Amino acid sequence: MLTLIVSTGFLFKLFMVNPASPEITSSLCADCGMCCDGTLFHSVVLQPTDSPRTLTSLGLTLKRKPGVTTFRQPCSAHQNHQCGIYENRPQRCRLFNCQQILRVASGEITQSEAQETIASTRKRINQVVERIERLTETNPDQGLAQRFSVALANTVPSPERAELEAAMNDLNAILEKEFRVREEAD
């Protein structure tokens, strides 16, 4: 058994699971990337152990506010399904494990089942992006939620907009159920 520390926004949760092999985690993460591409998160908060100077030198654009330093998603280091700064990635990136990783590690699902869930969710993400792009121009360097908000703000009610809203609501339900890690009451 292994204790995994899972980042859920500003909180961390401990889970006792059988360790997933690094090969399984690497494979699933490469197939997915939703924690890096702006689908699950709009930004990542740096931790005290992170070096802003190092991360900036590696190409991340940091945003500083009093008491907090962040970088926006999609992450500029995430290219071609890989992390370009993997050995120097921020602490939150090191600690985060989505529900698919946790379920494979605990034996609840197989790697193949997780890959199927990832693939079907990726198709839904692409459908939402295609609907957004049909409605209006948005910045592809922004996260999915921001692009969706811009699309709603720039369009009038129409059947196409209603289809986009329904598709995004369905996608968000899947992301909550299958990928985001929820805090449980103790």
Side-chain angles (χ1 to χ4, degrees):
M1 292 298 243
L2 172 73
T3 302
L4 289 179
I5 303 172
V6 180
S7 169
T8 57
F10 292 102
L11 303 173
F12 292 91
K13 184 75 173 177
L14 299 177
F15 289 90
M16 295 300 291
V17 297
N18 292 319
S21 74
E23 295 80 22
I24 290 173
T25 301
S26 176
S27 172
L28 290 177
C29 291
D31 289 344
C32 183
M34 290 180 230
C35 61
C36 302
D37 71 4
T39 300
L40 290 177
F41 307 109
H42 72 282
S43 65
V44 174
V45 177
L46 297 189
Q47 300 301 294
T49 56
D50 294 324
S51 168
R53 178 172 286 166
T54 299
L55 293 171
T56 300
S57 74
L58 293 170
L60 292 184
T61 302
L62 304 181
K63 186 172 188 174
R64 290 177 175 85
K65 292 183 181 178
V68 66
T69 302
T70 63
F71 65 95
R72 287 224 175 262
Q73 299 286 345
C75 180
S76 59
H78 185 250
Q79 303 291 322
N80 301 316
H81 303 285
Q82 293 183 13
C83 178
I85 62 168
Y86 189 80
E87 294 302 319
N88 296 299
R89 68 195 187 281
Q91 189 67 17
R92 282 240 163 106
C93 301
R94 291 174 188 277
L95 296 176
F96 180 74
N97 288 286
C98 73
Q99 285 192 56
Q100 293 302 301
I101 296 288
L102 293 173
R103 289 176 183 160
V104 169
S106 71
E108 182 181 335
I109 62 173
T110 65
Q111 180 178 352
S112 178
E113 290 170 322
Q115 287 170 319
E116 288 174 20
T117 299
I118 291 165
S120 67
T121 304
R122 279 256 153 247
K123 286 181 185 174
R124 287 182 176 264
I125 292 166
N126 291 338
Q127 291 168 347
V128 167
V129 169
E130 288 170 6
R131 283 187 164 96
I132 289 171
E133 290 173 348
R134 281 197 302 264
L135 279 178
T136 189
E137 187 175 323
T138 63
N139 183 348
D141 292 332
Q142 289 185 324
L144 186 59
Q146 289 89 349
R147 293 181 74 189
F148 173 71
S149 294
V150 168
L152 292 185
N154 290 343
T155 58
V156 296
S158 67
E160 293 82 12
R161 180 178 157 163
E163 288 174 7
L164 169 60
E165 290 179 278
M168 187 65 170
N169 287 337
D170 289 344
L171 175 60
N172 275 326
I174 291 167
L175 294 174
E176 284 299 318
K177 181 181 176 202
E178 301 293 342
F179 295 92
R180 291 191 176 109
V181 179
R182 296 176 296 280
E183 273 299 300
E184 297 176 16
D186 291 326

